[in-house]
């Protein structure tokens, strides 16, 4: 440590990258599967290989890193398993766009060449997000980095598929699925994002055959009537029950439709009569199966009307809607239209409106898997935190539908099913078959579809550790300790991992699931490019450093509450980084030689040393408990409060006189060094870079990540009480100075009234520090109430300060009355606005909230000014 070389200011961009390179070079993040330490493991939610770091990633990975670093400091063998997801549709879209720029389609170059192109893209650009995670400080075991299409993971995927197929839990069937006309693939229910949209309800006449009657049907999608195969009514509906069994005529087309009765029909919606289109609505599909109705598919794979749409063939579905509605109106079949708000499903990747469509697909029969997954959460083998998400989990699991796992794309795990062209048998096995297992024919053709990306990521906790082989890594680190994730993939991923883990490992994949909230902008709005309110994590790291950014996220990460992020907050915590440096620099600059950093002997400790060590002990315990219970904001708040206020604002000030006294210097600095070092260790999970930077100056050949989390046996309750009382006295005197605007240079006399002998002893023991830190000339005790003085009342003492001569009371009252007029103006303006009902109805919620805050603030200022004026008048 070279005290004279310590810079006055530090810049994170000068040391963060260098420090990370050292961590990697030394292999400090690598987990030893043969270690005798207790294991603690996390698998990273694998980011898409196409991705770049966004706020969700930043929060998610910061919280995981805090856990990994914390448990490592606490003596655990920690494994944070990293990797990326092949992201089937997203990655294929990226490469297809690249080809399109050259005027080429994937079909022109063929499947094999296209897959080669994707692997080439992955090699060149796929590591982008991994490097960005390193900039954040992520302490992943990069030697174990995996990819969902690695050969080992691919073998795990095949093993699971083959096993489930042989057990009858994977099957192939015609079924109605969500179809993306842009991506040309099926989507699971979870891959469809529903948004409220302003649409129309179209009321259409259907004539009853051989009758003067008509049935009026309300629909939001009139174009699908081209695929109608029935009209359904509720058999209990008196309006229509007489029509059940009769026939209706499909307008424009002229097809005859049976009128069926089913209690599924909602008598309150629309007209109470329902057009049934089994090929293009999931509920109609179920009705069609129940009543043995024909299924007429009217759309091709791109969302255009096909040959079943008659004269509308070749027209885009939305253009067909316009043309059909126009014709219905002209022919007198359109009764009326109404505005109607309803949810419309969009592809989660390209945002195209999805189309329900009957198709031959592969499915997982999930109910048998879901039963065990419900059980393990019920009996707390898996604990979901916050607990409120358990209800959502159960609701979804109890109502789960079979999972469509086939995707009509090329990039992904190709389904290992081989069709015999001679006997139609489906061959499924671990190795590609050369002959049909049923008829021995060599005329085999592999399924062209690939598996849903979530199929492979559902195996992530055990496939990354070497399964289906029985590896030492798997034996040591599975089940994992915790999963940190967002609520948006609770069903996409979390539930499916529990299903696959309990099925194939006979053990849950993780013990706890921590669901974190969303990162929003400072006004609570969701970040989006269209709103222009996106904060780029990498820009923030460039500007403020990774530590300030990480600490901001953790300090705001309260359970069950979304994070409102602003650059002001990040800048505030950048100031905290500077505070840590300045305090460390002050201590290090006053060292004359390298001092062994140990807990000093009790007998060598002064009262304030014992107090700070007691405070350190309490802070260490509180931060530890908060991290263990995923209360990251509380943990960050505790260490922030301790370091900035307790350690810097009080302790360093209390010992400065000793530091500048050669006979007492070494003793004071030894305590300060011990507290500094252990404060850095507690801070390290939140701020890994600056803590390492300073630690290396204290322990040149060591790394802070290999330290032990502070455990202090000393108990200094009495000394803690004493210094807390002293701080309370100093604060009370300072409050009077502030309230009456007494300049720091003006010496004041202090009179303290108390009935407590302890308080008197504490004050006498620490009188020098009290006078120095409160800028008081003298302090005396009294047993009597004092009049005509400034007063501050604490729980077990009262401070009096004579202010005659110190304060021009009439001038101070005059100043306060001017301040009161300004505060009163705000109070009246905002009070009037908030009583205006018209304003409250029309103004945006955020504006009303701000006005309410201004009103409350002005009210608080008024009350404070009134109290001050009253006190000043009582002194006159």
């Amino acid at each position: 440590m070279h005290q004279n070389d310590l810079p006055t200011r530090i810049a994170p961009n000068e040391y963060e990258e260098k420090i990370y390179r050292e961590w990697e070079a030394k292999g400090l993040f690598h987990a030893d599967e043969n270690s005798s330490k207790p294991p603690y493991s996390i698998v990273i939610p694998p980011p898409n290989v196409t991705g770049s770091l966004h706020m969700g990633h930043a929060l998610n990975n910061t919280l995981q890193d805090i856990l990994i670093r914390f448990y490592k400091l606490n003596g655990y063998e920690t494994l944070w398993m990293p990797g990326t997801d092949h992201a089937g549709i997203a990655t294929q879209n990226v490469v297809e766009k690249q080809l399109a720029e050259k005027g080429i389609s994937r079909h022109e170059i063929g499947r094999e060449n296209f897959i080669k192109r994707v692997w080439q893209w992955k090699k060149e650009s796929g590591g982008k997000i991994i490097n960005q995670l390193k900039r954040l400080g992520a302490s992943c075991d990069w030697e174990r980095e995996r990819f969902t299409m690695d050969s080992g993971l691919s073998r795990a995927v095949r093993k699971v598929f083959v096993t489930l197929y042989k057990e009858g839990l994977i099957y192939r069937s015609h079924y109605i699925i969500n179809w993306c006309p842009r991506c040309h693939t099926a989507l699971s229910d979870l891959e469809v994002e529903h948004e409220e949209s302003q649409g129309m309800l179209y009321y259409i006449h259907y004539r009853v055959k051989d009758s003067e009657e008509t049935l009026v049907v309300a629909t939001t999608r009139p174009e699908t009537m081209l695929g109608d195969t029935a009209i359904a009514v509720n058999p209990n509906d008196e309006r229509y029950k007489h029509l059940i069994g009769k026939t209706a005529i499909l307008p424009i087309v002229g097809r005859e439709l049976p009128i069926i009765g089913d209690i599924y029909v909602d008598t309150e919606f629309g007209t109470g009569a329902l057009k049934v289109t089994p090929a293009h609505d999931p509920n109609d599909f179920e009705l069609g199966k129940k009543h043995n109705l024909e299924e007429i598919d009217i759309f091709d794979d791109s969302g255009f009307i096909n040959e079943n749409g008659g004269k509308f063939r070749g027209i885009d579905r939305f253009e067909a809607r316009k043309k059909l509605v126009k014709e219905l109106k002209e022919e007198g079949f359109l009764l009326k239209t109404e505005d109607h708000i309803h949810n419309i499903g969009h592809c989660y990747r390209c945002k195209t409106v999805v189309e329900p469509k009957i198709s031959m697909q592969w499915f997982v029969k999930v109910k048998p898997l879901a039963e065990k997954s419900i059980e393990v959460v019920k009996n707390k083998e898996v604990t979901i935190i916050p607990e409120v998400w358990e209800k959502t989990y159960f609701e979804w699991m109890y109502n789960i539908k079979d999972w469509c796992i086939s995707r009509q794309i090329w990039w992904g795990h190709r389904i290992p099913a081989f069709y015999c062209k001679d006997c139609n048998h489906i061959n499924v096995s671990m190795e590609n078959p050369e002959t049909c297992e049923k008829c021995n024919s060599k005329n085999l053709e592999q399924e062209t579809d690939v598996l849903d990306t979530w199929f492979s990521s559902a195996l992530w906790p055990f496939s990354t550790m070497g399964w289906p082989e029985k590896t030492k890594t798997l034996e040591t680190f599975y089940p994992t300790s915790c999963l940190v994730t967002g609520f948006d993939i609770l069903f996409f991923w979390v539930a499916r991992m529990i299903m696959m883990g309990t099925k194939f490992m006979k053990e849950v994949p993780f013990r706890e699931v921590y669901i974190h909230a969303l990162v929003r902008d400072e006004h609570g709005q969701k970040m989006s490019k269209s709103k222009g309110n996106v904060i780029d994590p990498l820009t923030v790291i460039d500007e403020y450093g990774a530590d300030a950014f990480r600490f901001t996220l953790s300090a705001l990460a309260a359970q069950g509450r979304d994070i409102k992020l602003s650059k002001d907050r990040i800048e505030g915590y950048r100031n905290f980084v500077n505070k840590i440096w300045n305090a460390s620099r002050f201590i290090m600059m006053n060292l004359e030689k390298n001092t062994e950093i140990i807990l000093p002997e009790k007998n060598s400790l002064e009262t304030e040393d014992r107090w700070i060590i007691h405070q350190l002990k309490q802070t260490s315990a509180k931060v530890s408990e908060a991290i263990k219970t995923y209360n990251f904001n509380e943990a960050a708040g505790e260490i922030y409060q301790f370091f900035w206020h307790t350690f810097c604002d009080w302790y360093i000030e209390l010992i400065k006189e000793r530091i500048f006294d050669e006979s007492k210097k070494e003793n004071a600095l030894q305590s300060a060094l011990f507290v500094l070092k252990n404060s850095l260790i507690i801070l390290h999970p939140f701020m890994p870079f600056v803590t390492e930077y300073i630690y290396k100056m204290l322990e040149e050949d060591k790394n802070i990540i290999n330290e032990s989390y502070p455990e202090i046996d000393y108990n200094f309750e009495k000394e803690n009480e004493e210094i807390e009382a002293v701080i309370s006295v100093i604060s009370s005197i300072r409050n009077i100075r502030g309230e009456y605007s007494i300049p720091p240079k003006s010496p004041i006399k202090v009179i303290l009234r108390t009935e407590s002998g302890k308080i008197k002893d504490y004050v006498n023991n620490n009188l020098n520090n009290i006078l120095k830190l409160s800028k008081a000339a003298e302090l005396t005790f009294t047993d009597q109430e004092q009049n005509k003085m400034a007063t501050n009342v604490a729980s077990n003492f009262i401070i009096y300060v004579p202010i005659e001569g110190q304060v021009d009371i009439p001038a101070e009252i005059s100043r306060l009355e001017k301040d009161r007029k300004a505060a009163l103006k705000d109070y009246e303006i905002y009070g009037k606005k908030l009583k205006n009902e018209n304003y409250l109805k029309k103004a945006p919620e955020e504006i009303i909230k701000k006005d309410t805050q201004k009103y409350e603030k002005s009210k608080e200022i008024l009350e404070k000014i009134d109290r001050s004026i009253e006190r000043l008048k009582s002194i006159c």
Side-chain angles (χ1 to χ4, degrees):
M1 177 166 32
H2 306 286
Q3 291 90 341
N4 296 330
D5 297 335
L6 295 175
T8 54
R9 297 180 66 83
I10 55 171
N13 58 12
E14 293 174 5
Y15 59 80
E16 287 186 349
E17 186 181 350
K18 181 183 175 183
I19 285 171
Y20 200 92
R21 283 203 305 267
E22 181 187 334
W23 288 337
E24 280 199 283
K26 288 184 174 180
L28 296 180
F29 306 149
H30 185 60
D32 179 4
E33 59 204 23
N34 297 305
S35 171
S36 59
K37 296 177 183 177
Y40 183 89
S41 58
I42 296 176
V43 290
I44 198 171
N48 286 353
V49 71
T50 58
S52 59
L53 195 71
H54 58 61
M55 276 299 167
H57 291 133
L59 172 64
N60 181 270
N61 288 284
T62 293
L63 300 184
Q64 290 177 82
D65 196 48
I66 289 170
L67 290 167
I68 287 292
R69 290 179 185 271
F70 170 77
Y71 279 99
K72 189 173 183 67
L73 291 169
N74 277 276
Y76 286 78
E77 189 63 34
T78 56
L79 167 63
W80 185 6
M81 180 70 77
T84 50
D85 189 274
H86 66 277
I89 296 172
T91 307
Q92 178 152 320
N93 281 346
V94 167
V95 179
E96 281 196 81
K97 283 177 184 174
Q98 290 179 348
L99 291 174
E101 288 170 6
K102 298 176 182 176
I104 307 170
S105 77
R106 64 182 165 107
H107 298 285
E108 289 176 63
I109 64 172
R111 182 171 193 141
E112 189 176 335
N113 286 327
F114 179 78
I115 297 300
K116 284 180 182 176
R117 293 264 188 142
V118 182
W119 277 111
Q120 184 62 33
W121 174 88
K122 192 260 179 187
K123 183 180 178 182
E124 293 168 1
S125 307
K128 179 181 176 183
I129 194 163
I130 296 299
N131 291 325
Q132 291 169 344
L133 287 172
K134 291 178 180 181
R135 287 200 62 196
L136 189 66
S139 56
C140 297
D141 187 346
W142 298 114
E143 294 175 43
R144 283 188 162 93
E145 184 185 340
R146 305 305 299 268
F147 179 55
T148 47
M149 285 183 64
D150 284 350
S151 58
L153 274 71
S154 295
R155 183 162 180 79
V157 167
R158 187 150 185 168
K159 174 77 172 174
V160 168
F161 185 93
V162 171
T163 303
L164 293 177
Y165 181 79
K166 300 289 187 187
E167 292 180 10
L169 293 176
I170 283 181
Y171 64 94
R172 188 169 181 255
S173 173
H174 271 103
Y175 202 80
I176 192 157
I177 45 88
N178 304 294
W179 182 263
C180 176
R182 158 64 184 81
C183 297
H184 281 199
T185 186
L187 303 171
S188 72
D189 289 344
L190 295 175
E191 292 169 318
V192 177
E193 296 176 345
H194 289 89
E195 292 178 12
E196 269 199 355
S197 182
Q198 179 66 56
M200 302 288 288
L201 256 184
Y202 301 86
Y203 288 79
I204 304 168
H205 286 287
Y206 283 66
R207 183 171 60 82
V208 178
K209 185 180 178 183
D210 300 329
S211 166
E212 296 299 317
E213 286 189 79
T214 60
L215 268 173
V216 178
V217 170
T219 180
T220 58
R221 302 169 68 219
E223 68 279 9
T224 62
M225 67 184 288
L226 300 172
D228 285 358
T229 55
I231 300 290
V233 298
N234 194 305
N236 301 316
D237 192 332
E238 294 296 334
R239 296 171 295 174
Y240 305 126
K241 62 193 306 182
H242 68 286
L243 295 174
I244 296 171
K246 295 187 178 182
T247 302
I249 305 299
L250 180 60
I252 308 298
V253 178
R255 187 162 60 244
E256 293 189 358
L257 310 174
I259 301 172
I260 61 174
D262 199 289
I263 58 170
Y264 163 76
V265 180
D266 182 357
T267 59
E268 301 297 320
F269 178 77
T271 64
L274 176 75
K275 60 186 280 303
V276 184
T277 318
H280 297 292
D281 181 279
N283 296 316
D284 291 6
F285 177 78
E286 297 297 338
L287 271 178
K289 290 294 183 192
K290 185 176 177 182
H291 294 275
N292 199 28
L293 299 176
E294 185 183 3
E295 297 162 350
I296 302 175
D297 184 354
I298 62 163
F299 295 119
D300 68 14
D301 288 349
S302 298
F304 287 77
I305 305 295
N306 64 18
E307 65 279 4
N308 293 325
K311 60 184 175 182
F312 296 97
R313 181 179 184 175
I315 303 173
D316 173 74
R317 53 188 168 152
F318 299 118
E319 187 59 32
R321 179 181 299 177
K322 293 177 188 174
K323 288 182 178 294
L324 191 57
V325 168
K326 182 173 181 288
E327 192 163 336
L328 286 169
K329 192 173 183 180
E330 289 171 352
E331 296 289 331
F333 290 115
L334 187 65
L335 177 65
K336 63 176 181 176
T337 59
E338 287 178 353
D339 288 339
H340 179 67
I341 294 174
H342 60 138
N343 280 326
I344 294 181
H346 296 76
C347 172
Y348 80 117
R349 283 294 171 208
C350 69
K351 310 308 176 190
T352 301
V353 175
V354 300
E355 195 62 56
K357 182 174 165 60
I358 287 179
S359 177
M360 180 65 81
Q361 300 289 342
W362 289 86
F363 295 86
V364 174
K365 202 178 289 181
V366 290
K367 279 201 180 292
L369 301 172
E371 287 168 5
K372 183 65 177 173
S373 302
I374 291 168
E375 181 188 321
V376 295
V377 174
K378 269 189 172 180
N379 64 24
K380 300 297 183 184
E381 287 179 60
V382 175
T383 304
I384 298 176
I385 305 159
E387 194 175 357
V388 65
W389 287 108
E390 280 191 9
K391 183 181 177 185
T392 311
Y393 174 86
F394 288 133
E395 281 177 1
W396 187 75
M397 294 298 279
Y398 281 123
N399 296 290
I400 199 167
K401 293 180 180 177
D402 284 358
W403 173 16
C404 177
I405 55 169
S406 45
R407 298 291 180 268
Q408 289 67 50
I409 56 175
W410 289 350
W411 173 245
H413 293 102
R414 193 168 176 181
I415 292 176
F418 295 78
Y419 304 109
C420 177
K421 305 293 287 263
D422 293 329
C423 73
N424 296 321
H425 179 68
I426 301 175
N427 297 266
V428 174
S429 58
M430 282 303 293
E431 306 300 331
N432 292 353
E434 292 184 6
T435 59
C436 174
E437 62 187 1
K438 187 176 181 182
C439 71
N440 290 323
S441 168
K442 292 187 177 182
N443 193 10
L444 302 179
E445 185 176 84
Q446 187 175 359
E447 169 66 75
T448 56
D449 290 356
V450 301
L451 288 164
D452 175 14
T453 300
W454 296 102
F455 190 93
S456 51
S457 56
L459 320 181
W460 188 250
F462 53 92
S463 65
T464 52
M465 296 188 193
W467 188 90
E469 305 304 319
K470 292 182 179 179
T471 65
K472 184 66 177 174
T473 303
L474 202 58
E475 181 187 330
T476 303
F477 293 108
Y478 188 94
T480 60
S481 308
C482 168
L483 179 78
V484 179
T485 187
F487 65 84
D488 52 335
I489 55 173
L490 182 58
F491 313 123
F492 270 117
W493 191 45
V494 180
R496 288 168 176 169
M497 282 192 288
I498 295 173
M499 288 182 201
M500 294 302 187
T502 52
K503 170 70 177 172
F504 289 94
M505 295 297 297
K506 309 303 179 191
E507 177 66 278
V508 297
F510 25 73
R511 298 299 183 192
E512 295 177 322
V513 179
Y514 175 66
I515 308 288
H516 61 71
L518 288 175
V519 183
R520 298 180 179 273
D521 72 9
E522 60 188 305
H523 305 298
Q525 298 293 312
K526 190 173 181 179
M527 290 187 189
S528 69
K529 289 180 182 177
S530 60
K531 291 178 184 174
N533 64 347
V534 173
I535 300 175
D536 180 359
L538 298 169
T539 303
V540 168
I541 292 171
D542 285 339
E543 190 171 354
Y544 301 104
D547 288 326
F549 179 44
R550 287 168 58 113
F551 200 86
T552 306
L553 291 173
S554 52
L556 297 175
Q559 283 189 18
R561 199 185 317 150
D562 285 347
I563 290 173
K564 293 182 182 179
L565 185 67
S566 71
K567 286 195 174 182
D568 287 345
R569 296 299 295 263
I570 303 167
E571 187 170 356
Y573 288 118
R574 196 245 326 255
N575 295 339
F576 182 38
V577 175
N578 291 336
K579 185 78 170 180
I580 295 166
W581 169 245
N582 289 335
S584 304
R585 183 176 182 272
F586 172 76
I587 292 167
M588 290 188 291
M589 283 191 71
N590 282 287
L591 293 172
E592 292 181 352
K593 61 180 185 298
N594 287 337
T595 306
E596 187 181 0
I597 308 172
I598 57 170
L599 180 59
E601 289 294 325
K602 270 188 182 182
N603 295 337
S604 69
L605 296 170
E606 299 292 336
T607 304
E608 61 265 26
D609 301 332
R610 295 178 177 219
W611 164 74
I612 195 65
I613 289 168
H614 189 84
Q615 289 284 318
L616 175 68
K617 177 181 179 178
Q618 288 184 320
T619 300
S620 176
K622 287 175 182 175
V623 172
S624 178
E625 180 59 23
I627 293 176
K628 287 175 182 175
T629 54
Y630 305 100
N631 290 295
F632 296 98
N633 62 315
E634 292 178 15
E638 289 289 348
I639 188 58
Y640 177 90
Q641 178 70 27
F642 172 79
F643 196 94
W644 189 304
H645 299 294
T646 307
F647 184 57
C648 295
D649 291 353
W650 287 108
Y651 180 66
I652 289 178
E653 293 303 315
L654 286 168
I655 65 169
K656 268 186 179 175
E657 193 171 283
R658 289 163 60 201
I659 286 174
F660 297 136
D661 182 332
E662 287 299 323
S663 65
K664 299 176 181 178
K665 181 177 183 177
E666 188 175 345
N667 171 274
L669 284 171
Q670 191 169 50
S671 297
L673 258 181
F674 174 78
V675 175
L676 172 62
K677 175 184 172 180
N678 284 283
S679 297
L680 293 173
I681 294 169
I682 297 170
L683 273 163
H684 178 70
F686 302 92
M687 294 181 160
F689 292 106
V690 72
T691 52
E692 176 79 314
Y693 178 75
I694 298 167
Y695 178 87
K696 296 286 281 183
M697 295 179 179
L698 301 174
E699 305 275 11
E700 287 184 34
D701 300 323
K702 297 180 183 178
N703 297 94
I704 195 168
I705 200 168
N706 291 327
E707 273 288 357
S708 295
Y709 195 79
E711 286 185 9
I712 301 161
D713 293 331
Y714 289 173
N715 190 27
F716 297 128
E717 291 284 355
K718 180 181 176 297
E719 291 86 345
N720 185 66
E721 182 184 290
E722 179 170 332
I723 298 300
E724 288 297 304
V726 169
I727 288 171
S728 185
V729 169
I730 296 167
S731 298
S732 295
I733 299 168
R734 286 176 173 177
N735 287 343
I736 289 173
R737 272 194 182 276
E739 194 167 339
Y740 294 97
S741 302
I742 302 171
K745 289 183 179 179
S746 297
I748 56 174
K749 294 180 179 180
V750 177
I751 301 167
L752 190 150
R753 180 185 172 198
T754 183
E755 295 177 1
S756 168
K758 268 188 181 181
I759 295 294
K760 288 180 181 178
D761 289 343
Y762 294 161
V763 170
N764 284 324
N765 292 345
N766 298 274
L767 187 58
N768 188 43
N769 263 330
I770 292 172
L771 295 175
K772 183 183 67 173
L773 296 180
S774 65
K775 304 286 195 295
E778 63 178 67
L779 186 151
T780 57
F781 295 98
T782 184
D783 296 328
Q784 304 297 317
E785 186 175 342
Q786 305 294 302
N787 296 316
K788 306 288 184 182
M789 293 187 188
T791 308
N792 195 293
V793 180
S795 60
N796 49 10
F797 62 85
I798 301 173
I799 296 290
Y800 299 103
V801 174
I803 61 171
E804 260 190 282
Q806 293 282 358
V807 178
D808 184 340
I809 293 175
E812 184 64 15
I813 290 172
S814 176
R815 183 188 68 79
L816 287 169
E817 284 177 340
K818 285 180 184 176
D819 290 346
R820 191 183 190 283
K821 282 181 183 177
L824 183 62
K825 187 177 179 182
D826 282 350
Y827 177 75
E828 289 173 343
I829 288 170
Y830 293 112
K832 188 177 179 182
K833 282 176 82 174
L834 293 169
K835 286 176 184 173
N836 185 330
E837 289 187 15
N838 195 38
Y839 165 77
L840 293 173
K841 284 179 185 174
K842 293 182 179 179
E845 187 180 336
E846 196 60 39
I847 300 296
I848 294 172
K849 187 178 177 183
K850 283 184 179 179
D851 285 348
T852 303
Q853 288 170 347
K854 288 174 182 176
Y855 172 76
E856 294 296 337
K857 185 70 177 173
S858 61
K859 182 182 177 184
E860 184 186 325
I861 292 169
L862 269 177
E863 289 171 352
K864 189 175 179 181
I865 291 171
D866 286 342
R867 285 195 301 272
S868 296
I869 291 172
E870 190 179 332
R871 279 198 292 269
L872 282 167
K873 285 180 176 177
S874 72
I875 293 171
C876 293

